Amino acid sequence: MSLINQAIVDLQDIMQNADEFATAVTFSKPGGLNPVTVNCLTNKIMVDVETNGSPVVSERTTVAVHENTLTAAGYVVRDANENVAMTNDLVTMTVFGQQKNYIVKWQMPDQKFGCLVFVLERYDA
């Protein structure tokens, strides 16, 4: 196995390891179609500070998942032109013990290693 292929396999294993890093996240197409739950790396909710010094939880966060993890679960990642097309997909996960709903606002695919990073914005269904 080439070094790049080994790196891809290792990255995928790390990103979906629920015992170490990953969190269960559900992705679905708009309208809740074709939901799949996979393990993803999640960033902590970004915290902003208001002028009075009280921390306020931001409505945005990020998740990272390997493309192979989503495609192996049967999730459609790319459009007919082979571009990653997940903007506006729905994402649900548990944050601080509460289920939260997000929408993919920005996607940042890495074409070399297959890592997909998404900036999510919270919404109420």
Side-chain angles (χ1 to χ4, degrees):
M1 179 180 293
S2 73
L3 186 57
I4 190 77
N5 288 340
Q6 185 62 53
I8 291 169
V9 169
D10 291 345
L11 179 62
Q12 184 177 359
D13 288 345
I14 290 167
M15 293 179 79
Q16 65 185 6
N17 185 339
D19 293 331
E20 297 289 332
F21 308 105
T23 301
V25 175
T26 301
F27 290 86
S28 61
K29 294 296 179 186
L33 301 174
N34 306 318
V36 299
T37 301
V38 296
N39 288 327
C40 299
L41 295 177
T42 59
N43 191 9
K44 294 179 182 176
I45 298 294
M46 294 177 249
V47 176
D48 297 323
V49 178
E50 289 188 275
T51 55
N52 67 4
S54 301
V56 176
V57 176
S58 170
E59 295 297 319
R60 292 189 178 152
T61 190
T62 62
V63 297
V65 62
H66 199 280
E67 183 174 354
N68 291 344
T69 301
L70 286 171
T71 57
Y75 198 75
V76 177
V77 173
R78 295 181 179 268
D79 62 16
N81 295 322
E82 291 300 313
N83 296 315
V84 173
M86 292 181 58
T87 302
N88 296 321
D89 284 8
L90 309 175
V91 178
T92 304
M93 68 179 124
T94 302
V95 178
F96 302 125
Q98 295 181 347
Q99 184 174 323
K100 302 287 184 178
N101 298 312
Y102 297 89
I103 189 166
V104 175
K105 294 302 279 185
W106 296 280
Q107 57 188 22
M108 295 168 276
D110 174 275
Q111 301 299 333
K112 186 140 195 116
F113 292 103
C115 178
L116 304 172
V117 177
F118 302 106
V119 176
L120 310 176
E121 185 169 87
R122 187 164 171 223
Y123 81 100
D124 293 315

